[in-house]
Amino acid sequence: MQTNAGYGWDNGQVNQCPYAYFSAGESQNPCTWCGEPFNTTAPGAARADACQVDYGYTRDAAAGVMPCLRGSYKDVLGASACSQVGRRSASNAGARRTMGSWQGGGM
C-alpha cells in the first residue's frame, strides 16, 4: 500500500507527516525530516519546499542559516530578517515565539 502526499509510514501504519516533515507520497517510506533549523506551516506537507527557515533563525549570505543574534527575534517562518527587541526587553540568541510563548535559543 502506497501513501498519499503528506503521509508516510511509521511503525507499520500510515500517518500524516507532523510539523517539520514532508512526503510526496506514492511510496512506502516514512516522512522526510526538513532538518534543523527548518519547519513547516502545518502538518501534512507534501513537498520539500514546504520546509521553511524556523522561528528564531534567519538566512545569511555567508553562513546560510543562523540563529537571530542576541537582542533580536523572529516569530514567523520563512527567510525574513530578525527584528530588534525593544530597549526594555531582553532576548537570548535564537529566541523564537512558539505556540504563544517565547523560548530562548542556545548560544
Side-chain angles (χ1 to χ4, degrees):
M1 176 179 182
Q2 296 196 354
T3 63
N4 292 326
Y7 290 80
W9 283 93
D10 183 29
N11 293 322
Q13 296 181 340
V14 175
N15 292 308
Q16 185 178 44
C17 297
Y19 283 97
Y21 287 80
F22 68 93
S23 173
E26 303 298 322
S27 73
Q28 293 182 347
N29 296 324
C31 297
T32 302
W33 182 48
C34 292
E36 185 70 31
F38 295 91
N39 206 339
T40 57
T41 58
R47 300 181 352 200
D49 64 3
C51 299
Q52 299 180 32
V53 178
D54 208 352
Y55 305 99
Y57 292 85
T58 189
R59 288 233 182 250
D60 177 71
V65 177
M66 60 180 273
C68 293
L69 298 175
R70 185 171 306 277
S72 65
Y73 70 98
K74 187 179 128 220
D75 62 356
V76 296
L77 290 177
S80 60
C82 298
S83 300
Q84 293 297 316
V85 174
R87 284 189 202 181
R88 294 185 159 215
S89 300
S91 173
N92 291 330
R96 62 192 182 274
R97 188 174 179 167
T98 305
M99 299 296 201
S101 64
W102 287 96
Q103 296 181 352
M107 287 193 100

Coordinates of all heavy atoms in Angstrom, one line a residue:
M1 N 0.8 -1.2 0.0 CA 0.0 0.0 0.0 C 0.9 1.3 0.0 O 1.8 1.4 0.8 CB -0.9 0.0 1.2 CG -1.7 1.2 1.4 SD -2.8 1.1 2.9 CE -3.6 2.6 2.7
Q2 N 0.7 2.1 -0.9 CA 1.4 3.4 -1.0 C 0.7 4.5 -0.4 O -0.6 4.5 -0.3 CB 1.8 3.7 -2.5 CG 2.7 2.6 -3.0 CD 3.3 3.0 -4.3 OE1 3.1 4.1 -4.9 NE2 4.2 2.2 -4.8
T3 N 1.4 5.5 0.1 CA 0.8 6.6 0.8 C 0.3 7.7 -0.2 O 0.8 7.9 -1.3 CB 1.7 7.2 1.8 OG1 2.9 7.7 1.1 CG2 2.2 6.2 2.8
N4 N -0.5 8.6 0.3 CA -0.9 9.8 -0.4 C 0.1 10.9 0.0 O 0.9 10.7 1.0 CB -2.3 10.3 0.1 CG -3.4 9.4 -0.4 OD1 -3.3 8.8 -1.5 ND2 -4.4 9.3 0.4
A5 N 0.2 12.0 -0.7 CA 1.1 13.1 -0.4 C 0.8 13.6 1.0 O -0.4 13.7 1.4 CB 0.9 14.2 -1.5
G6 N 1.8 13.9 1.7 CA 1.7 14.4 3.1 C 1.5 13.3 4.1 O 1.3 13.6 5.3
Y7 N 1.7 12.1 3.7 CA 1.6 10.9 4.6 C 2.8 10.0 4.4 O 3.4 10.0 3.4 CB 0.3 10.1 4.4 CG -0.9 10.9 4.8 CD1 -1.5 11.8 4.0 CD2 -1.5 10.6 6.0 CE1 -2.6 12.5 4.4 CE2 -2.7 11.2 6.4 CZ -3.2 12.2 5.6 OH -4.3 12.9 6.0
G8 N 3.2 9.3 5.5 CA 4.3 8.4 5.4 C 4.1 7.2 6.3 O 3.2 7.2 7.2
W9 N 4.9 6.2 6.2 CA 4.8 5.0 7.0 C 5.5 5.2 8.3 O 6.6 5.8 8.3 CB 5.4 3.8 6.3 CG 4.4 3.2 5.2 CD1 4.4 3.6 3.9 CD2 3.4 2.3 5.5 NE1 3.4 2.9 3.3 CE2 2.8 2.1 4.2 CE3 2.9 1.6 6.6 CZ2 1.7 1.2 4.0 CZ3 1.9 0.7 6.4 CH2 1.3 0.5 5.2
D10 N 4.9 4.8 9.4 CA 5.5 4.9 10.7 C 5.1 3.7 11.6 O 3.9 3.6 11.9 CB 5.1 6.3 11.4 CG 5.8 6.5 12.7 OD1 6.9 6.0 13.0 OD2 5.2 7.2 13.6
N11 N 6.0 2.9 11.9 CA 5.7 1.7 12.7 C 4.6 0.8 12.2 O 3.6 0.4 12.8 CB 5.4 2.1 14.2 CG 6.6 2.6 14.9 OD1 7.7 2.2 14.7 ND2 6.4 3.6 15.7
G12 N 4.6 0.6 10.8 CA 3.6 -0.2 10.2 C 2.3 0.4 9.9 O 1.4 -0.2 9.5
Q13 N 2.2 1.7 10.1 CA 0.9 2.4 9.9 C 1.2 3.7 9.0 O 2.3 4.2 9.1 CB 0.3 2.9 11.2 CG -0.1 1.8 12.1 CD -0.7 2.4 13.4 OE1 -0.5 3.5 13.8 NE2 -1.5 1.5 14.1
V14 N 0.2 4.1 8.3 CA 0.3 5.3 7.5 C -0.2 6.4 8.4 O -1.3 6.4 9.0 CB -0.6 5.2 6.3 CG1 -0.6 6.5 5.5 CG2 -0.1 4.1 5.4
N15 N 0.6 7.5 8.6 CA 0.3 8.6 9.4 C 0.6 9.9 8.6 O 1.5 10.0 7.8 CB 1.1 8.6 10.7 CG 0.7 7.5 11.6 OD1 -0.5 7.3 11.9 ND2 1.7 6.8 12.1
Q16 N -0.2 11.0 9.0 CA 0.1 12.3 8.4 C 1.4 12.7 8.9 O 1.8 12.6 10.0 CB -1.0 13.3 8.8 CG -0.8 14.6 8.2 CD -1.9 15.6 8.6 OE1 -2.3 15.7 9.8 NE2 -2.5 16.3 7.6
C17 N 2.2 13.3 8.0 CA 3.5 13.9 8.4 C 3.3 15.0 9.4 O 2.5 15.9 9.2 CB 4.2 14.5 7.2 SG 4.6 13.3 5.9
P18 N 4.1 14.9 10.5 CA 4.0 16.0 11.5 C 4.7 17.3 11.1 O 5.3 17.3 10.0 CB 4.7 15.4 12.7 CG 5.6 14.4 12.2 CD 5.0 13.9 10.9
Y19 N 4.6 18.3 11.9 CA 5.4 19.5 11.6 C 6.8 19.2 11.4 O 7.3 18.3 12.0 CB 5.3 20.5 12.8 CG 4.0 21.3 12.9 CD1 3.0 20.8 13.7 CD2 3.8 22.4 12.2 CE1 1.8 21.5 13.8 CE2 2.6 23.1 12.3 CZ 1.6 22.7 13.1 OH 0.4 23.4 13.2
A20 N 7.5 19.9 10.4 CA 8.9 19.7 10.1 C 9.2 18.4 9.3 O 10.4 18.1 9.2 CB 9.8 19.8 11.4
Y21 N 8.2 17.8 8.8 CA 8.4 16.6 8.0 C 7.5 16.8 6.7 O 6.5 17.5 6.7 CB 7.9 15.4 8.7 CG 8.9 14.9 9.8 CD1 8.9 15.5 11.0 CD2 9.8 13.9 9.6 CE1 9.8 15.1 12.0 CE2 10.7 13.5 10.5 CZ 10.6 14.1 11.8 OH 11.5 13.7 12.8
F22 N 7.9 16.1 5.6 CA 7.1 16.1 4.4 C 7.2 14.8 3.7 O 8.1 14.0 4.0 CB 7.6 17.2 3.5 CG 9.0 16.9 2.9 CD1 9.2 16.3 1.7 CD2 10.1 17.3 3.7 CE1 10.5 16.1 1.2 CE2 11.4 17.1 3.2 CZ 11.6 16.4 2.0
S23 N 6.3 14.5 2.8 CA 6.3 13.3 2.0 C 5.5 13.6 0.7 O 4.4 14.0 0.7 CB 5.7 12.1 2.7 OG 5.6 11.0 1.8
A24 N 6.1 13.2 -0.4 CA 5.4 13.4 -1.7 C 4.4 12.2 -1.9 O 3.6 12.3 -2.8 CB 6.4 13.3 -2.9
G25 N 4.5 11.2 -1.0 CA 3.6 10.1 -1.2 C 4.0 9.1 -2.2 O 5.2 9.1 -2.7
E26 N 3.1 8.3 -2.6 CA 3.4 7.3 -3.7 C 4.5 6.4 -3.3 O 5.3 5.9 -4.2 CB 3.6 7.9 -5.0 CG 2.5 8.8 -5.5 CD 1.2 8.1 -5.7 OE1 1.2 6.9 -6.2 OE2 0.2 8.7 -5.4
S27 N 4.7 6.1 -2.0 CA 5.8 5.2 -1.6 C 5.4 4.5 -0.3 O 4.3 4.7 0.2 CB 7.1 6.0 -1.3 OG 7.0 6.8 -0.2
Q28 N 6.3 3.7 0.2 CA 6.1 3.1 1.5 C 7.2 3.5 2.5 O 7.6 2.8 3.4 CB 6.2 1.5 1.3 CG 5.0 1.0 0.6 CD 5.0 -0.5 0.5 OE1 5.9 -1.2 0.8 NE2 3.8 -1.0 0.0
N29 N 7.7 4.8 2.3 CA 8.7 5.4 3.1 C 8.1 6.2 4.2 O 7.0 6.7 4.0 CB 9.6 6.2 2.2 CG 10.4 5.4 1.2 OD1 10.8 4.3 1.4 ND2 10.5 6.0 0.0
P30 N 8.9 6.4 5.2 CA 8.5 7.4 6.3 C 8.6 8.8 5.7 O 9.2 9.1 4.7 CB 9.4 7.2 7.4 CG 10.7 6.6 6.8 CD 10.2 5.8 5.6
C31 N 7.9 9.7 6.4 CA 8.1 11.2 6.1 C 9.5 11.6 6.2 O 10.2 11.0 7.1 CB 7.2 12.0 7.0 SG 5.4 11.6 6.8
T32 N 9.9 12.5 5.5 CA 11.3 13.0 5.5 C 11.4 14.3 6.4 O 10.6 15.2 6.2 CB 11.8 13.4 4.1 OG1 11.7 12.2 3.2 CG2 13.2 13.9 4.1
W33 N 12.4 14.3 7.3 CA 12.6 15.4 8.2 C 13.2 16.6 7.4 O 14.1 16.4 6.6 CB 13.5 15.0 9.3 CG 13.8 16.1 10.3 CD1 12.9 16.8 11.0 CD2 15.1 16.4 10.8 NE1 13.5 17.7 11.9 CE2 14.9 17.5 11.8 CE3 16.4 16.0 10.6 CZ2 15.9 18.1 12.5 CZ3 17.4 16.6 11.3 CH2 17.2 17.6 12.3
C34 N 12.7 17.8 7.6 CA 13.2 19.0 7.0 C 14.6 19.3 7.4 O 15.3 19.9 6.6 CB 12.3 20.2 7.3 SG 10.6 20.2 6.7
G35 N 15.0 18.9 8.6 CA 16.3 19.2 9.1 C 16.3 20.5 10.0 O 15.4 21.3 9.9
E36 N 17.3 20.7 10.7 CA 17.5 21.8 11.6 C 18.1 23.0 10.9 O 19.0 22.8 10.1 CB 18.4 21.4 12.8 CG 18.5 22.4 13.9 CD 17.2 22.6 14.7 OE1 16.4 21.7 14.9 OE2 17.0 23.8 15.1
P37 N 17.6 24.1 10.9 CA 16.5 24.7 11.6 C 15.3 25.0 10.7 O 15.1 26.2 10.4 CB 17.1 26.0 12.2 CG 18.0 26.5 11.2 CD 18.5 25.2 10.5
F38 N 14.6 24.0 10.2 CA 13.5 24.2 9.3 C 12.2 23.7 9.9 O 12.3 22.8 10.7 CB 13.8 23.6 7.9 CG 15.0 24.3 7.2 CD1 16.3 23.8 7.4 CD2 14.8 25.3 6.4 CE1 17.3 24.4 6.8 CE2 15.9 26.0 5.8 CZ 17.1 25.5 6.0
N39 N 11.1 24.2 9.4 CA 9.8 23.7 9.9 C 8.8 23.9 8.8 O 9.1 24.5 7.8 CB 9.4 24.6 11.2 CG 8.5 23.9 12.1 OD1 7.8 22.9 11.7 ND2 8.4 24.3 13.3
T40 N 7.6 23.4 9.0 CA 6.5 23.6 8.1 C 5.4 24.4 8.7 O 5.3 24.4 10.0 CB 6.0 22.2 7.6 OG1 5.5 21.5 8.7 CG2 7.0 21.4 6.8
T41 N 4.5 25.0 7.9 CA 3.5 25.8 8.5 C 2.3 24.9 9.0 O 1.5 25.4 9.8 CB 2.9 26.8 7.5 OG1 2.4 26.1 6.3 CG2 4.0 27.8 7.0
A42 N 2.3 23.7 8.6 CA 1.2 22.8 9.0 C 1.6 21.4 8.9 O 2.6 21.1 8.1 CB -0.1 23.0 8.2
P43 N 1.0 20.4 9.6 CA 1.3 19.0 9.3 C 0.8 18.6 7.9 O 0.0 19.3 7.4 CB 0.5 18.3 10.4 CG -0.2 19.3 11.2 CD 0.0 20.6 10.6
G44 N 1.3 17.5 7.4 CA 0.8 17.0 6.1 C 1.5 17.7 4.9 O 0.9 17.7 3.8
A45 N 2.7 18.2 5.1 CA 3.4 18.8 4.0 C 3.7 17.7 2.9 O 4.2 16.6 3.3 CB 4.7 19.5 4.5
A46 N 3.6 18.1 1.7 CA 3.8 17.2 0.6 C 5.1 17.4 -0.2 O 5.5 16.5 -0.9 CB 2.6 17.3 -0.4
R47 N 5.7 18.5 0.0 CA 6.9 18.8 -0.8 C 8.0 19.4 0.1 O 7.8 20.1 1.1 CB 6.6 19.8 -1.9 CG 5.6 19.3 -2.8 CD 5.2 20.2 -4.0 NE 5.7 21.5 -3.9 CZ 5.3 22.6 -4.6 NH1 4.2 22.4 -5.3 NH2 5.8 23.7 -4.5
A48 N 9.3 19.2 -0.4 CA 10.4 19.8 0.4 C 10.4 21.3 0.5 O 10.9 21.8 1.5 CB 11.7 19.3 -0.3
D49 N 9.8 22.0 -0.5 CA 9.8 23.4 -0.4 C 8.8 23.9 0.6 O 8.7 25.1 0.9 CB 9.6 24.1 -1.8 CG 8.2 23.7 -2.4 OD1 7.4 23.0 -1.8 OD2 8.0 24.1 -3.6
A50 N 8.1 23.0 1.3 CA 7.2 23.4 2.4 C 8.1 23.7 3.6 O 7.6 24.3 4.6 CB 6.2 22.4 2.7
C51 N 9.3 23.2 3.6 CA 10.2 23.4 4.8 C 10.8 24.8 4.7 O 11.4 25.2 3.7 CB 11.4 22.4 4.7 SG 10.8 20.7 4.8
Q52 N 10.5 25.6 5.7 CA 10.9 27.0 5.7 C 11.8 27.3 6.9 O 11.8 26.5 7.9 CB 9.7 27.9 5.8 CG 8.8 27.7 4.6 CD 7.6 28.7 4.7 OE1 7.7 29.7 5.2 NE2 6.5 28.2 4.2
V53 N 12.6 28.3 6.8 CA 13.5 28.7 8.0 C 12.6 28.9 9.2 O 11.6 29.6 9.2 CB 14.3 30.0 7.6 CG1 15.2 30.4 8.8 CG2 15.1 29.8 6.4
D54 N 13.0 28.2 10.3 CA 12.2 28.2 11.5 C 12.2 29.5 12.3 O 13.0 30.4 12.0 CB 12.8 27.1 12.4 CG 11.7 26.5 13.3 OD1 10.6 27.0 13.4 OD2 12.0 25.4 14.0
Y55 N 11.3 29.6 13.2 CA 11.3 30.7 14.2 C 12.6 30.8 14.8 O 13.3 29.9 15.2 CB 10.2 30.4 15.3 CG 8.8 30.1 14.8 CD1 8.4 28.8 14.7 CD2 8.0 31.1 14.4 CE1 7.1 28.5 14.3 CE2 6.7 30.9 13.9 CZ 6.3 29.5 13.9 OH 5.0 29.3 13.4
G56 N 13.1 32.1 15.0 CA 14.3 32.3 15.7 C 15.6 32.2 14.9 O 16.7 32.3 15.4
Y57 N 15.4 31.9 13.6 CA 16.5 31.8 12.6 C 16.3 32.7 11.4 O 15.2 33.0 11.1 CB 16.7 30.3 12.2 CG 17.1 29.4 13.3 CD1 16.2 28.8 14.1 CD2 18.5 29.1 13.4 CE1 16.6 28.0 15.1 CE2 18.9 28.3 14.5 CZ 18.0 27.7 15.3 OH 18.4 26.9 16.3
T58 N 17.4 33.0 10.7 CA 17.3 33.8 9.5 C 18.3 33.4 8.5 O 19.3 32.7 8.9 CB 17.4 35.3 9.8 OG1 17.1 36.1 8.7 CG2 18.8 35.7 10.3
R59 N 18.1 33.7 7.2 CA 19.1 33.4 6.2 C 20.2 34.4 6.3 O 20.0 35.6 6.6 CB 18.4 33.5 4.8 CG 17.5 32.3 4.6 CD 17.9 31.7 3.3 NE 16.9 30.6 3.0 CZ 17.3 29.3 3.1 NH1 18.5 29.0 3.4 NH2 16.4 28.4 2.8
D60 N 21.4 33.9 6.0 CA 22.6 34.8 6.0 C 23.4 34.4 4.8 O 23.7 33.2 4.6 CB 23.4 34.6 7.3 CG 24.7 35.4 7.3 OD1 24.6 36.6 7.4 OD2 25.8 34.8 7.2
A61 N 23.8 35.4 4.0 CA 24.6 35.1 2.7 C 25.8 34.3 3.0 O 26.2 33.4 2.2 CB 24.9 36.4 2.0
A62 N 26.5 34.6 4.1 CA 27.8 33.9 4.3 C 27.6 32.5 5.1 O 28.2 31.5 4.7 CB 28.7 34.8 5.2
A63 N 26.7 32.5 6.0 CA 26.5 31.3 6.9 C 25.4 30.4 6.5 O 25.2 29.3 7.0 CB 26.3 31.7 8.3
G64 N 24.6 30.8 5.5 CA 23.4 30.0 5.1 C 22.2 30.4 6.0 O 21.5 31.3 5.8
V65 N 22.1 29.7 7.1 CA 21.0 29.9 8.1 C 21.7 30.1 9.5 O 22.5 29.3 9.8 CB 20.0 28.8 8.1 CG1 18.9 29.0 9.2 CG2 19.3 28.6 6.8
M66 N 21.3 31.1 10.2 CA 21.9 31.3 11.5 C 20.8 31.8 12.5 O 19.8 32.3 12.1 CB 23.0 32.4 11.4 CG 22.5 33.7 10.9 SD 23.9 34.9 10.9 CE 23.9 35.5 12.5
P67 N 21.0 31.5 13.8 CA 20.1 32.0 14.8 C 20.0 33.5 14.9 O 21.0 34.2 14.5 CB 20.6 31.4 16.1 CG 22.0 31.0 15.9 CD 22.2 30.8 14.4
C68 N 18.9 34.1 15.3 CA 18.8 35.5 15.5 C 19.9 35.9 16.5 O 20.1 35.1 17.5 CB 17.5 35.9 16.0 SG 16.1 35.7 14.8
L69 N 20.5 37.0 16.4 CA 21.5 37.4 17.3 C 20.9 37.9 18.6 O 19.7 38.3 18.6 CB 22.3 38.6 16.7 CG 23.1 38.2 15.4 CD1 23.8 39.5 14.9 CD2 24.1 37.2 15.7
R70 N 21.7 37.9 19.7 CA 21.2 38.4 21.0 C 20.6 39.8 20.8 O 21.1 40.6 20.1 CB 22.3 38.4 22.0 CG 21.9 38.8 23.4 CD 23.0 38.6 24.4 NE 23.6 37.3 24.4 CZ 23.1 36.2 25.1 NH1 22.0 36.4 25.7 NH2 23.7 35.1 25.0
G71 N 19.4 40.0 21.4 CA 18.7 41.3 21.2 C 17.8 41.3 20.0 O 17.2 42.4 19.7
S72 N 17.6 40.2 19.3 CA 16.7 40.2 18.2 C 15.9 38.9 18.3 O 16.2 37.9 19.0 CB 17.4 40.3 16.9 OG 18.3 39.2 16.7
Y73 N 14.8 38.8 17.5 CA 13.9 37.7 17.4 C 13.3 37.6 16.1 O 13.3 38.5 15.3 CB 12.8 37.8 18.5 CG 11.8 38.9 18.2 CD1 10.6 38.5 17.6 CD2 12.1 40.2 18.5 CE1 9.7 39.5 17.3 CE2 11.2 41.2 18.2 CZ 10.0 40.8 17.6 OH 9.0 41.8 17.3
K74 N 12.6 36.4 15.8 CA 11.9 36.2 14.6 C 10.7 35.3 14.9 O 10.9 34.1 15.4 CB 12.7 35.6 13.5 CG 11.9 35.6 12.1 CD 12.8 35.0 11.0 CE 12.0 33.9 10.4 NZ 12.7 32.8 10.0
D75 N 9.5 35.7 14.8 CA 8.3 34.9 15.2 C 7.5 34.5 14.0 O 6.3 34.2 14.2 CB 7.5 35.6 16.3 CG 6.9 37.0 15.8 OD1 7.2 37.4 14.7 OD2 6.2 37.6 16.6
V76 N 8.1 34.4 12.9 CA 7.4 33.9 11.7 C 8.3 32.9 11.0 O 9.6 32.9 11.1 CB 7.0 35.0 10.7 CG1 6.0 35.9 11.3 CG2 8.2 35.7 10.2
L77 N 7.7 31.9 10.2 CA 8.5 31.0 9.4 C 8.9 31.7 8.1 O 8.2 32.6 7.6 CB 7.7 29.8 9.0 CG 7.4 28.8 10.2 CD1 6.5 27.7 9.6 CD2 8.7 28.3 10.8
G78 N 10.0 31.3 7.5 CA 10.5 31.9 6.3 C 11.8 32.6 6.4 O 12.4 32.6 7.4
A79 N 12.2 33.2 5.3 CA 13.6 33.8 5.2 C 13.6 35.2 5.7 O 14.6 35.9 5.4 CB 14.1 33.7 3.8
S80 N 12.6 35.7 6.3 CA 12.6 37.1 6.8 C 13.7 37.4 7.8 O 14.2 36.5 8.5 CB 11.2 37.5 7.3 OG 10.9 36.7 8.4
A81 N 14.0 38.6 8.0 CA 15.1 39.0 8.9 C 14.6 39.0 10.3 O 13.4 39.0 10.6 CB 15.5 40.4 8.5
C82 N 15.5 38.9 11.3 CA 15.2 39.0 12.7 C 14.9 40.5 13.0 O 15.4 41.4 12.4 CB 16.4 38.5 13.5 SG 16.8 36.8 13.2
S83 N 14.1 40.7 14.0 CA 13.7 42.0 14.4 C 14.4 42.4 15.7 O 14.6 41.5 16.6 CB 12.2 42.1 14.6 OG 11.5 41.9 13.4
Q84 N 14.7 43.6 15.9 CA 15.3 44.0 17.2 C 14.3 44.1 18.3 O 13.2 44.5 18.1 CB 15.9 45.4 17.0 CG 17.1 45.5 16.1 CD 18.3 44.7 16.6 OE1 18.6 44.7 17.7 NE2 18.9 43.9 15.7
V85 N 14.7 43.6 19.5 CA 13.9 43.7 20.7 C 14.0 45.1 21.2 O 15.0 45.8 21.1 CB 14.4 42.7 21.7 CG1 13.7 42.8 23.0 CG2 14.3 41.3 21.2
G86 N 12.9 45.6 21.8 CA 12.8 47.0 22.3 C 13.8 47.1 23.4 O 14.3 46.2 24.0
R87 N 14.2 48.4 23.8 CA 15.2 48.7 24.8 C 14.9 48.0 26.1 O 15.9 47.6 26.8 CB 15.3 50.2 25.0 CG 16.0 50.9 24.0 CD 16.2 52.3 24.4 NE 16.3 53.2 23.3 CZ 16.5 54.4 23.4 NH1 16.6 55.0 24.6 NH2 16.7 55.2 22.3
R88 N 13.7 47.9 26.6 CA 13.4 47.4 27.9 C 13.3 45.9 27.9 O 13.0 45.3 28.9 CB 12.1 48.0 28.4 CG 12.3 49.5 28.6 CD 11.1 50.0 29.3 NE 11.5 51.3 29.9 CZ 11.0 51.8 31.0 NH1 10.1 51.1 31.6 NH2 11.4 52.9 31.5
S89 N 13.4 45.2 26.8 CA 13.3 43.8 26.7 C 14.7 43.2 26.6 O 15.6 43.8 26.2 CB 12.4 43.4 25.5 OG 11.1 43.9 25.6
A90 N 14.8 41.9 26.9 CA 16.0 41.2 26.7 C 15.7 39.9 25.9 O 14.6 39.4 25.9 CB 16.6 40.8 28.0
S91 N 16.6 39.4 25.1 CA 16.4 38.2 24.3 C 17.7 37.4 24.3 O 18.8 37.9 24.2 CB 16.0 38.7 22.9 OG 16.0 37.5 22.1
N92 N 17.5 36.1 24.3 CA 18.6 35.2 24.1 C 18.8 35.0 22.6 O 17.9 35.1 21.9 CB 18.3 33.8 24.8 CG 18.3 33.9 26.3 OD1 19.0 34.7 26.8 ND2 17.5 33.0 26.9
A93 N 20.0 34.6 22.2 CA 20.2 34.4 20.8 C 19.3 33.2 20.4 O 19.1 32.3 21.1 CB 21.7 34.0 20.6
G94 N 18.7 33.3 19.2 CA 17.8 32.3 18.7 C 16.4 32.3 19.3 O 15.7 31.4 19.2
A95 N 16.1 33.4 20.0 CA 14.8 33.4 20.7 C 13.7 33.3 19.6 O 13.8 33.9 18.5 CB 14.6 34.7 21.5
R96 N 12.6 32.6 19.9 CA 11.6 32.4 19.0 C 10.2 32.3 19.7 O 10.2 31.9 20.9 CB 11.8 31.2 18.1 CG 11.8 29.9 18.9 CD 12.4 28.8 18.1 NE 12.4 27.6 18.8 CZ 13.4 27.2 19.6 NH1 14.5 27.9 19.7 NH2 13.3 26.0 20.2
R97 N 9.2 32.7 19.1 CA 7.9 32.5 19.6 C 7.3 31.2 19.1 O 7.2 31.0 18.0 CB 7.0 33.7 19.2 CG 5.7 33.7 20.0 CD 4.9 34.9 19.6 NE 3.7 34.9 20.3 CZ 2.9 35.9 20.4 NH1 3.3 37.1 19.9 NH2 1.8 35.8 21.1
T98 N 6.9 30.4 20.1 CA 6.3 29.0 19.7 C 5.0 28.8 20.5 O 5.0 28.9 21.7 CB 7.3 27.9 20.0 OG1 8.5 28.2 19.4 CG2 6.8 26.6 19.5
M99 N 3.9 28.6 19.8 CA 2.6 28.3 20.4 C 2.3 29.3 21.4 O 1.8 29.0 22.5 CB 2.6 26.9 21.0 CG 2.9 25.8 20.0 SD 1.5 25.8 18.8 CE 1.7 24.2 18.1
G100 N 2.5 30.6 21.2 CA 2.1 31.7 22.0 C 3.1 32.0 23.2 O 2.8 32.9 24.0
S101 N 4.2 31.3 23.3 CA 5.1 31.6 24.4 C 6.5 31.7 23.7 O 6.8 31.3 22.6 CB 5.1 30.5 25.4 OG 5.6 29.3 24.8
W102 N 7.4 32.4 24.5 CA 8.8 32.6 24.0 C 9.7 31.5 24.5 O 9.6 31.1 25.6 CB 9.3 34.0 24.4 CG 8.6 35.1 23.7 CD1 7.5 35.8 24.1 CD2 8.9 35.6 22.4 NE1 7.1 36.7 23.2 CE2 8.0 36.6 22.1 CE3 9.9 35.3 21.5 CZ2 8.0 37.3 20.9 CZ3 9.9 36.0 20.3 CH2 9.0 37.0 20.1
Q103 N 10.5 31.1 23.6 CA 11.5 30.1 24.0 C 12.9 30.7 23.7 O 13.1 31.2 22.6 CB 11.4 28.8 23.2 CG 10.1 28.1 23.5 CD 10.0 26.8 22.8 OE1 10.8 26.5 21.9 NE2 9.0 26.0 23.1
G104 N 13.8 30.6 24.6 CA 15.2 31.1 24.4 C 16.0 30.1 23.6 O 15.8 28.9 23.8
G105 N 16.8 30.7 22.7 CA 17.7 29.8 21.9 C 19.0 29.6 22.6 O 19.3 30.3 23.6
G106 N 19.8 28.7 22.1 CA 21.1 28.4 22.7 C 22.1 29.4 22.2 O 21.9 30.2 21.4
M107 N 23.3 29.4 22.8 CA 24.5 30.1 22.4 C 25.1 30.8 23.6 O 24.6 31.2 24.5 CB 24.2 31.2 21.3 CG 24.1 30.5 20.0 SD 24.2 31.7 18.7 CE 25.9 31.4 18.2

